[in-house]
Amino acid sequence: MLIAVAFRPAGTTGTEPAHIRTRGLWGWRAAMADETAGLAEALRRQADTVRRLKQEKASPEVVAEQVARLLELKAQLGAEEGKPKFVLKTPKGTRDYNPKQMAIREKVFDIIISTFKRHGAEVIDTPVFELKETLTGKYGEDSKLIYDLKDQGGELLSLRYDLTVPFARYLAMNKITNIKRYHIAKVYRRDNPAMTRGRYREFYQCDFDIAGQFDPMIPDAECLKILHEILSGLQIGDFLIKVNDRRILDGMFAVCGVPDSKFRTICSTVDKLDKVTWEEVKNEMVGEKGLSSETADRIGEYVLLHDGLGLIEQLLQDPKLSQNKLAREGLEDMKLLFEYLTLFGIADKISFDLSLARGLDYYTGVIYEAVLLQPQNAHVEEPVSVGSVAGGGRYDGLVGMFDPKGRKVPCVGVSIGIERIFSIMEQKVEASEEKVRTTETQVLVAAAQKKLLEERLKLISELWDSGIKAEMLYKKNPKLLNQLQYCEDTGIPLVAIIGEQELKDGVVKLRVVATREEVDVRRENLTEEIKRRTCQP
Amino acid sequence: MLIAVAFRPAGTTGTEPAHIRTRGLWGWRAAMADETAGLAEALRRQADTVRRLKQEKASPEVVAEQVARLLELKAQLGAEEGKPKFVLKTPKGTRDYNPKQMAIREKVFDIIISTFKRHGAEVIDTPVFELKETLTGKYGEDSKLIYDLKDQGGELLSLRYDLTVPFARYLAMNKITNIKRYHIAKVYRRDNPAMTRGRYREFYQCDFDIAGQFDPMIPDAECLKILHEILSGLQIGDFLIKVNDRRILDGMFAVCGVPDSKFRTICSTVDKLDKVTWEEVKNEMVGEKGLSSETADRIGEYVLLHDGLGLIEQLLQDPKLSQNKLAREGLEDMKLLFEYLTLFGIADKISFDLSLARGLDYYTGVIYEAVLLQPQNAHVEEPVSVGSVAGGGRYDGLVGMFDPKGRKVPCVGVSIGIERIFSIMEQKVEASEEKVRTTETQVLVAAAQKKLLEERLKLISELWDSGIKAEMLYKKNPKLLNQLQYCEDTGIPLVAIIGEQELKDGVVKLRVVATREEVDVRRENLTEEIKRRTCQP
């Protein structure tokens, strides 16, 4: 996968020198511009870094980012010297997909889409940008990460930040009150990229949502079943799905003494528990958000709890929590959810976790998040550090924000974050040294002698017209050896060889690349023979 | 397809009142804002328009645009009255795809992708935006249609305008000199949308390109073969592929007396010949571009010629043209191309047409464009006016524009414009009243009595786990009639019904929706039986 090296754009990964990490890449760049003389020196140091990383056999992704930075420095220096100014790269936080990466991506999509279809989902698509006002007020503090388009006259537009808000806009606009749909598309966030860990500014989301007024927890349980099927199907290692309910959180905040107005912001703080310690979370609650130390401690007692049915029963007995209407509703529903998950046979992978809060504002009921528990494969040298790979929950108020009359459409959904899964799958493929084919070509049309271009064109045209996937070399007189080598390189399993004699006899010599076996096949039987030999067993 | 009505955004279609057409929608809006009292009147008139169009059974697309405008006026009036200000719509020139439209889109993509794969193409993907400078200087006059992103700090970005320039950037960046790839993705142009004719601001391109140094016209002929296979496969009616060569055009301009510096701009003018008369083209050449009337007339004699091999021979004899090196090279290659097209059996659909010029600057050799010749289907009341549905050509200099050392990678490719094809396919489906299924669900799990939710959950879980596409209603106690009706509505062919008796007997009642036939199947055989009954014949 060395082909990927040259085109990964720069980002901050934690492996760069401290002055870059602390000042940020852009600050550092600006400083560089001031001291032009420093550029050559920076270039030399960066070249050293790349050389060292290669010697140390650092992971291709790490090397790629450093090479990208090296190229950028070179271009910058070139610009100073009057050479072409532009940098040959993709925008920060984005990447191209080469054919090998696409092959892996298609495999992942196949598993996800077939699961969505197995659950009867329809599919929709929406534009990559929305009116800016459609996104306004939906993402809380994260709104600053939205990409806006330039005002070139006309409407003010923004790139979509997720697929959930466009879905809610779609439902409200078309007055749809009942749909089960999936949507797979790229979304955009001006976040700090960490591409070695699969965090990009342009990335795919694979969303499945159920909209409609139904009996409690049945669609919610199906979303978790789908998540379980997909994570099992991908075979990327053991996983755990944490669940909680915004109503339980809110009830808990209430009984701990958090004022109503601070529920959402305290929720954001609790959400950091998977990344930082309780001490830090408590400091934020008390120092930044203004809770009393006692209130924070009371929250602390709850959020460290996680378990299954047992914990639900325990909390239903909790003298304070059980008196709170919201919390009780949430707990009763959680109990029902676990009953359904048990019927689905997946309760063992689900953990009721009071520390799960989720960042987004719009959730109103059950929430969940899937995390991978360990490196997927003992053969991989450097386990990828991956956090959450999927999340979701119930958002019963979002569609109503778009409806002129505020009519609500209850919704629940799950979103799979594909880039982290790609990172893992790519490493897995690399580690296994499995050869990934990037085409499906069944046969190469080849000539044994010169001056047979016309005959090759005629034969390949016949094959294409009968549905065979066929290639030929774009040379008038290619050498047979080169034609066979092409098959070895690209994994084409068969060669259809014509020569003077074969043309006279009305046959084609069919060669099996792997075994070098050759057999004459009558021209009229060639299509059938190729199909027979290349169909899946 | 009435579901589509409410969400098509507004554009100018030629059917609106003259004062809108002449002043433009935005000017008209601004004027309206000045005279608030006029809004209510405009709203009333627009409502009349919609009512009239519906009575006259105007095409759904036309109605949709007028309804969108009506909604916009309503929202505007609402804003004046202090109601929520925002308009519930997609950005101008874009649309959502509902599940029915997605089903058609997937069918079209299947045909196109399987053709690309049949010709041994790999697939790549690139980000939706590029560095602004990557797109600079590649599109000539059309550059003004590029969408820029807002400068939010960091790099200056633009949405991609086509897939060809990102492909060239990808090749140069990764130093790839040899690849055959396809790429299907949305591109963005701030053009004047005409959505009833399939012209959008966000639209798909399906590109196939061959990069590398090969013997002349072999890859070029394959691109035309692919185009022929796709347009035949789509069954959207008769078509013609026009071909020409930039070298022949340049040679022709030279012998007619056009100065070198005006080749590209005169090329743009000639390109308008498929939309306006020769008189108008001549006027532009003489009036705007400064050619003499005689030069224009000499061009006129050539560009009206179109034919196959005969014309090539005739021009090779042309006393002036045959003396021009570029033109002679182009003509010799054109002759070779037609030989290969004849071997492929597709020469009858290809017309050598001296009036074909193509808009984009970067072509250097053979160019082509496919047009549909007639409405695809006599049953359609209003034939869609469609022009070009695909185009492409050879661009040997583009990759070199990105390479720091100017190294060239010869390329030739074809791009299919999908939106126009969608428009035709949608009309065709509507005309045929064919019922389009939007899910693949094989069976609905239903209960004949109350209190069987747990049993339904257990059964559906078994089915999902063995790969069956299954749904159930999200109700605790749905009526059997409602469950059967759901199958009728959505086209689910089978119902697996459980009741007390079936559970006791260890069977499931399998009902065929179409025939109402019912048969008891032992539970352990259910998966097999469903697979047997729903597999493709």
Side-chain angles (χ1 to χ4, degrees):
Chain A
M1 207 98 37
L2 267 174
I3 207 168
V5 167
F7 66 87
R8 294 193 179 274
T12 54
T13 61
T15 57
E16 56 271 67
H19 71 279
I20 298 182
R21 234 177 10 244
T22 49
R23 298 173 62 183
L25 191 54
W26 290 106
W28 165 75
R29 263 186 208 152
M32 278 296 121
D34 290 338
E35 30 175 323
T36 309
L39 255 181
E41 168 60 16
L43 183 63
R44 200 190 51 74
R45 268 190 285 117
Q46 184 64 24
D48 283 347
T49 305
V50 168
R51 209 171 304 123
R52 184 174 48 76
L53 285 171
K54 282 184 177 168
Q55 279 167 357
E56 292 170 359
K57 298 201 188 304
S59 91
E61 306 234 342
V62 168
V63 175
E65 294 197 6
Q66 298 304 319
V67 168
R69 184 151 321 136
L70 182 62
L71 291 174
E72 213 169 322
L73 282 168
K74 273 189 185 162
Q76 235 178 312
L77 193 65
E80 307 269 341
E81 290 169 357
K83 283 188 206 152
K85 271 201 177 95
F86 71 82
V87 183
L88 206 51
K89 67 186 281 293
T90 60
K92 182 176 179 184
T94 69
R95 58 166 167 178
D96 298 317
Y97 284 85
N98 67 30
K100 266 194 188 172
Q101 293 166 322
M102 287 297 282
I104 296 170
R105 188 171 113 178
E106 289 196 350
K107 201 176 138 191
V108 173
F109 281 159
D110 275 354
I111 290 171
I112 293 173
I113 292 172
S114 66
T115 306
F116 290 160
K117 286 189 173 173
R118 193 159 58 243
H119 287 260
E122 301 184 284
V123 57
I124 69 160
D125 194 19
T126 65
V128 79
F129 42 61
E130 295 278 343
L131 298 184
K132 186 173 165 57
E133 57 194 358
T134 298
L135 306 190
T136 303
K138 309 299 185 304
Y139 301 107
E141 291 172 16
D142 287 353
S143 295
K144 64 181 182 299
L145 303 180
I146 293 174
Y147 277 96
D148 291 328
L149 269 73
K150 190 168 148 185
D151 182 358
Q152 294 170 291
E155 301 159 330
L156 291 181
L157 307 174
S158 301
L159 297 186
R160 62 183 160 212
Y161 184 82
D162 65 6
L163 303 178
T164 309
V165 168
F167 175 55
R169 191 266 306 149
Y170 173 83
L171 295 185
M173 198 164 107
N174 298 290
K175 300 197 174 22
I176 296 169
T177 55
N178 197 327
I179 191 174
K180 178 163 57 181
R181 79 89 181 81
Y182 72 92
H183 186 188
I184 295 182
K186 288 176 181 172
V187 302
Y188 299 87
R189 300 185 183 180
R190 299 180 63 253
D191 215 337
N192 205 17
M195 292 177 289
T196 47
R197 278 173 295 162
R199 195 162 80 220
Y200 291 85
R201 289 181 156 198
E202 174 186 60
F203 59 96
Y204 268 102
Q205 287 198 331
C206 306
D207 279 26
F208 172 97
D209 293 82
I210 300 172
Q213 186 69 56
F214 302 114
D215 282 323
M217 294 298 119
I218 310 178
D220 314 59
E222 183 168 4
C223 288
L224 290 168
K225 174 78 170 106
I226 285 174
L227 187 47
H228 188 280
E229 285 177 25
I230 288 172
L231 293 177
S232 310
L234 288 171
Q235 300 183 294
I236 45 170
D238 205 10
F239 60 89
L240 182 74
I241 304 173
K242 301 178 193 172
V243 297
N244 197 0
D245 193 299
R246 275 283 166 89
R247 291 167 297 172
I248 301 176
L249 277 169
D250 287 352
M252 181 184 85
F253 293 148
V255 304
C256 290
V258 179
D260 286 17
S261 62
K262 292 191 176 165
F263 280 7
R264 281 290 77 78
T265 183
I266 294 301
C267 210
S268 298
T269 307
V270 169
D271 192 49
K272 296 177 183 166
L273 266 180
D274 59 341
K275 290 176 203 87
V276 302
T277 65
W278 165 250
E279 283 314 307
E280 288 171 88
V281 164
K282 184 183 166 183
N283 282 344
E284 186 175 313
M285 285 181 177
V286 177
E288 286 179 38
K289 310 273 167 101
L291 292 195
S292 71
S293 182
E294 297 70 41
T295 298
D297 284 337
R298 280 194 288 268
I299 295 174
E301 283 171 36
Y302 282 116
V303 296
L304 299 179
L305 302 173
H306 50 91
D307 189 11
L309 268 174
L311 177 58
I312 302 172
E313 293 296 353
Q314 180 192 327
L315 291 176
L316 277 171
Q317 305 305 322
D318 184 293
K320 281 178 293 173
L321 211 53
S322 62
Q323 296 311 305
N324 181 284
K325 186 169 170 287
L326 268 181
R328 216 170 45 239
E329 276 177 24
L331 286 165
E332 292 291 354
D333 274 351
M334 188 60 67
K335 200 171 150 186
L336 193 59
L337 180 65
F338 268 87
E339 281 175 35
Y340 295 160
L341 299 177
T342 305
L343 289 165
F344 284 159
I346 59 169
D348 60 317
K349 294 277 190 207
I350 320 271
S351 164
F352 173 40
D353 189 328
L354 282 175
S355 75
L356 177 72
R358 302 282 298 154
L360 294 167
D361 272 6
Y362 50 62
Y363 292 116
T364 56
V366 73
I367 48 178
Y368 32 83
E369 194 165 293
V371 290
L372 297 181
L373 286 184
Q374 57 185 45
Q376 74 294 349
N377 190 326
H379 304 303
V380 176
E381 294 159 27
E382 296 176 60
V384 203
S385 130
V386 285
S388 142
V389 291
R394 179 163 281 285
Y395 49 101
D396 288 349
L398 191 58
V399 178
M401 289 175 74
F402 289 107
D403 189 281
K405 296 187 181 155
R407 275 169 299 216
K408 289 188 175 181
V409 178
C411 293
V412 63
V414 60
S415 178
I416 321 280
I418 276 301
E419 315 301 326
R420 288 176 175 180
I421 293 170
F422 284 155
S423 290
I424 298 169
M425 302 276 275
E426 270 189 75
Q427 289 224 2
K428 211 171 144 182
V429 167
E430 245 170 282
S432 74
E433 289 174 20
E434 180 191 333
K435 204 169 150 72
V436 180
R437 273 200 75 181
T438 53
T439 69
E440 299 174 8
T441 310
Q442 297 165 289
V443 64
L444 185 85
V445 172
Q449 291 117 15
K450 288 192 173 181
K451 298 198 178 170
L452 289 173
L453 174 60
E454 284 75 11
E455 291 298 338
R456 280 191 294 144
L457 289 171
K458 256 163 54 184
L459 178 57
I460 200 167
S461 187
E462 284 172 31
L463 292 175
W464 285 331
D465 292 344
S466 50
I468 298 290
K469 299 180 185 112
E471 288 184 67
M472 56 177 270
L473 297 199
Y474 302 125
K475 292 250 159 211
K476 276 182 91 153
N477 297 308
K479 292 190 177 121
L480 186 57
L481 203 66
N482 290 348
Q483 297 175 81
L484 298 179
Q485 187 59 46
Y486 183 80
C487 294
E488 299 275 2
D489 294 345
T490 59
I492 299 176
L494 298 173
V495 197
I497 306 171
I498 42 180
E500 298 294 353
Q501 195 56 48
E502 284 79 9
L503 288 170
K504 226 174 273 167
D505 298 347
V507 298
V508 171
K509 200 176 283 304
L510 197 63
R511 178 184 169 111
V512 181
V513 176
T515 62
R516 300 182 182 186
E517 171 204 352
E518 289 188 347
V519 53
D520 280 355
V521 178
R522 293 213 55 79
R523 186 126 169 180
E524 59 271 27
N525 301 333
L526 184 61
T527 296
E528 273 320 300
E529 188 62 21
I530 293 169
K531 282 185 184 166
R532 197 181 64 75
R533 284 172 180 266
T534 53
C535 74
Q536 303 307 320
Chain B
M1 208 96 36
L2 266 175
I3 207 168
V5 168
F7 67 85
R8 293 193 181 272
T12 54
T13 61
T15 56
E16 55 273 67
H19 72 280
I20 299 182
R21 234 175 11 241
T22 49
R23 300 172 60 183
L25 190 54
W26 291 107
W28 165 75
R29 263 186 207 152
M32 278 295 123
D34 291 338
E35 28 173 327
T36 308
L39 255 182
E41 168 61 15
L43 182 63
R44 201 191 51 73
R45 269 189 284 120
Q46 185 62 23
D48 282 347
T49 305
V50 169
R51 207 171 305 120
R52 183 174 47 76
L53 285 171
K54 282 184 178 170
Q55 279 167 357
E56 291 168 2
K57 297 200 190 306
S59 91
E61 306 235 343
V62 168
V63 175
E65 294 197 9
Q66 298 304 319
V67 167
R69 184 151 321 138
L70 182 62
L71 291 174
E72 215 169 320
L73 281 168
K74 274 188 186 165
Q76 235 178 313
L77 195 63
E80 307 268 345
E81 291 171 356
K83 282 185 207 157
K85 270 201 176 96
F86 71 80
V87 182
L88 207 49
K89 67 186 282 292
T90 60
K92 181 176 180 185
T94 69
R95 60 165 166 178
D96 297 317
Y97 285 85
N98 67 30
K100 267 194 188 173
Q101 292 166 322
M102 286 298 282
I104 296 169
R105 187 172 116 177
E106 289 195 351
K107 201 176 138 192
V108 173
F109 280 159
D110 274 354
I111 290 170
I112 292 173
I113 292 172
S114 66
T115 306
F116 291 160
K117 286 189 172 173
R118 194 159 56 243
H119 288 259
E122 302 183 282
V123 56
I124 70 160
D125 194 19
T126 65
V128 78
F129 41 62
E130 294 278 344
L131 297 185
K132 186 174 164 58
E133 58 195 358
T134 298
L135 307 190
T136 304
K138 309 299 184 306
Y139 301 107
E141 291 172 16
D142 287 353
S143 295
K144 63 179 184 298
L145 303 181
I146 293 173
Y147 277 97
D148 291 329
L149 269 73
K150 190 167 151 187
D151 182 359
Q152 295 171 289
E155 301 159 331
L156 291 181
L157 307 175
S158 301
L159 297 186
R160 61 182 161 213
Y161 184 83
D162 66 6
L163 302 178
T164 309
V165 168
F167 175 55
R169 191 265 308 148
Y170 173 83
L171 296 184
M173 196 162 107
N174 298 289
K175 302 199 174 17
I176 296 169
T177 55
N178 196 327
I179 192 174
K180 178 164 57 181
R181 79 90 182 80
Y182 72 91
H183 187 188
I184 296 183
K186 288 175 181 173
V187 302
Y188 298 87
R189 299 185 183 179
R190 298 181 62 255
D191 216 337
N192 204 17
M195 292 177 290
T196 47
R197 277 172 297 160
R199 196 162 79 219
Y200 291 86
R201 290 182 154 198
E202 173 187 62
F203 59 98
Y204 269 101
Q205 287 198 332
C206 307
D207 280 26
F208 171 97
D209 294 81
I210 300 171
Q213 186 68 58
F214 302 114
D215 282 323
M217 293 298 120
I218 310 179
D220 314 59
E222 184 168 2
C223 287
L224 291 169
K225 173 78 170 110
I226 285 174
L227 187 47
H228 188 280
E229 285 177 25
I230 288 172
L231 293 177
S232 310
L234 288 170
Q235 300 181 294
I236 45 171
D238 205 9
F239 60 89
L240 183 74
I241 304 173
K242 302 178 194 172
V243 295
N244 197 1
D245 192 299
R246 276 280 166 92
R247 293 166 297 172
I248 301 176
L249 276 169
D250 286 353
M252 180 185 86
F253 293 147
V255 305
C256 291
V258 179
D260 286 17
S261 62
K262 291 190 176 166
F263 280 7
R264 281 290 77 78
T265 185
I266 294 302
C267 211
S268 298
T269 307
V270 169
D271 192 49
K272 296 177 182 165
L273 266 180
D274 59 340
K275 291 176 202 87
V276 303
T277 64
W278 165 249
E279 284 313 310
E280 288 170 87
V281 166
K282 185 182 165 184
N283 282 344
E284 185 174 313
M285 285 180 177
V286 178
E288 286 178 38
K289 309 275 168 100
L291 292 194
S292 73
S293 183
E294 296 71 38
T295 299
D297 284 337
R298 280 193 289 267
I299 295 175
E301 282 170 35
Y302 282 115
V303 296
L304 299 179
L305 301 173
H306 51 91
D307 191 10
L309 268 173
L311 177 59
I312 302 172
E313 294 295 353
Q314 179 192 328
L315 292 176
L316 276 170
Q317 307 304 323
D318 184 293
K320 282 178 295 174
L321 210 53
S322 62
Q323 296 312 304
N324 181 286
K325 186 167 171 288
L326 267 182
R328 214 170 48 238
E329 277 177 24
L331 286 166
E332 291 292 354
D333 274 351
M334 189 60 69
K335 200 171 150 186
L336 193 59
L337 180 65
F338 267 87
E339 281 174 37
Y340 296 161
L341 298 177
T342 306
L343 288 166
F344 284 159
I346 60 170
D348 60 316
K349 294 277 190 208
I350 321 270
S351 164
F352 172 41
D353 188 328
L354 281 175
S355 76
L356 177 71
R358 302 283 296 154
L360 295 166
D361 271 6
Y362 50 61
Y363 291 117
T364 56
V366 71
I367 48 179
Y368 32 82
E369 196 166 292
V371 291
L372 296 181
L373 286 184
Q374 56 184 46
Q376 74 295 348
N377 191 326
H379 304 303
V380 175
E381 293 159 25
E382 295 177 59
V384 203
S385 129
V386 284
S388 142
V389 291
R394 180 163 281 285
Y395 49 102
D396 288 349
L398 190 58
V399 178
M401 290 175 74
F402 289 107
D403 189 280
K405 295 186 181 153
R407 276 169 299 215
K408 289 188 175 183
V409 178
C411 294
V412 64
V414 59
S415 179
I416 321 279
I418 276 301
E419 316 301 328
R420 287 175 176 182
I421 293 170
F422 283 155
S423 291
I424 297 169
M425 301 276 276
E426 269 190 75
Q427 288 225 359
K428 212 170 144 182
V429 168
E430 244 170 285
S432 74
E433 290 174 20
E434 179 192 334
K435 202 168 154 73
V436 181
R437 272 199 77 181
T438 54
T439 69
E440 298 174 10
T441 309
Q442 295 165 291
V443 63
L444 184 84
V445 172
Q449 292 118 14
K450 288 191 174 180
K451 298 198 178 168
L452 289 174
L453 173 61
E454 284 75 11
E455 291 298 337
R456 280 192 293 142
L457 290 172
K458 257 163 56 185
L459 178 57
I460 200 168
S461 187
E462 283 172 32
L463 292 175
W464 285 332
D465 291 345
S466 50
I468 298 291
K469 298 180 185 114
E471 288 184 68
M472 56 176 270
L473 297 199
Y474 302 125
K475 291 250 158 211
K476 276 182 90 155
N477 296 307
K479 291 188 179 126
L480 186 57
L481 204 66
N482 290 347
Q483 297 174 84
L484 298 179
Q485 187 58 45
Y486 183 80
C487 294
E488 298 276 3
D489 293 345
T490 59
I492 299 175
L494 298 173
V495 197
I497 306 171
I498 42 178
E500 298 294 351
Q501 194 57 47
E502 284 79 12
L503 288 170
K504 226 174 275 169
D505 298 346
V507 298
V508 170
K509 200 176 284 301
L510 197 62
R511 178 184 169 112
V512 180
V513 175
T515 62
R516 301 182 181 188
E517 171 203 353
E518 290 187 347
V519 51
D520 279 355
V521 179
R522 291 214 55 80
R523 186 124 170 181
E524 59 270 27
N525 301 333
L526 184 60
T527 298
E528 273 320 300
E529 187 61 23
I530 293 169
K531 282 186 184 164
R532 196 181 66 73
R533 284 173 181 264
T534 52
C535 76
Q536 303 307 323

